[in-house]
Amino acid sequence: MNSRTITVARFAAAAAAATALTLACSQAADAAPATPKSSASQSIAPCTASNTKVTVTPVSRPINHLLLTATNTGKSTCAAYYAPALRWDADQQAPVTVLQDSVPQAVVTLEPGQSAYAGIMTDSPDGSGTNGHTVSSIDVYFTDASNQGSVGDPARPSAPGTYVDDSAWVTYWQSSPDLALAY
């Protein structure tokens, strides 16, 4: 055998081995039993309006934003799962859009006295939003660990004179005000 034949034979053997390994790994993954997401935070009770104090604060930057703060007032740890579901006043039909780009790396868990934060963009800075109007309060619904609906009654922080339009959105719960207002 010449060196070219040996090189081709080695390449073919390596390709065959790689294919076999890929197939074996794929079959092993298919055969492995499905495991539920193992997250300690999934066993933590969700934050609710009854175990938090929720406030809304206007901020100077970024423009047209509010900072939503939920502070654990209970005696045990709670988790701020996913994003708050917001509704302007009581007459809005659909909740405010959640900004999907703001998913945090982990669920925000709150020991008593700690806070979670969400950024709210109220209206489009370029004026492209529609159906603008002024609201006086915000209904804030908390979500359960499975994101299958709200938990408990809404918190109703006041937001007098806040102008909103259809372009409004809210971030997922974040662990700091800076992260909540980064969007």
Side-chain angles (χ1 to χ4, degrees):
M1 279 191 175
N2 65 27
S3 64
R4 183 164 193 233
T5 305
I6 293 172
T7 302
V8 170
R10 284 183 183 164
F11 178 76
T19 301
L21 181 59
T22 301
L23 180 61
C25 289
S26 174
Q27 289 172 344
D30 290 342
T35 56
K37 293 180 182 177
S38 59
S39 171
S41 64
Q42 288 186 348
S43 64
I44 297 173
C47 296
T48 65
S50 64
N51 65 7
T52 62
K53 178 181 179 183
V54 178
T55 59
V56 175
T57 307
V59 295
S60 60
R61 292 275 182 231
I63 62 170
N64 301 353
H65 277 64
L66 300 171
L67 179 64
L68 183 66
T69 305
T71 303
N72 183 348
T73 59
K75 294 186 183 333
S76 59
T77 301
C78 68
Y81 292 106
Y82 299 96
L86 303 184
R87 191 172 67 174
W88 311 122
D89 291 323
D91 60 349
Q92 182 180 351
Q93 296 297 314
V96 173
T97 300
V98 174
L99 184 64
Q100 294 303 314
D101 290 345
S102 67
V103 175
Q105 292 193 6
V107 172
V108 180
T109 57
L110 305 178
E111 298 291 330
Q114 291 182 326
S115 298
Y117 307 90
I120 303 170
M121 187 194 69
T122 56
D123 60 297
S124 177
D126 66 5
S128 62
T130 59
N131 298 316
H133 60 284
T134 302
V135 299
S136 59
S137 66
I138 300 173
D139 287 350
V140 179
Y141 293 86
F142 289 89
T143 307
D144 63 11
S146 64
N147 199 21
Q148 295 301 309
S150 60
V151 180
D153 292 328
R156 290 196 170 98
S158 66
T162 300
Y163 182 82
V164 298
D165 67 26
D166 289 346
S167 67
W169 48 254
V170 62
T171 67
Y172 278 72
W173 289 112
Q174 306 292 330
S175 58
S176 74
D178 290 343
L179 290 171
L181 295 173
Y183 300 93

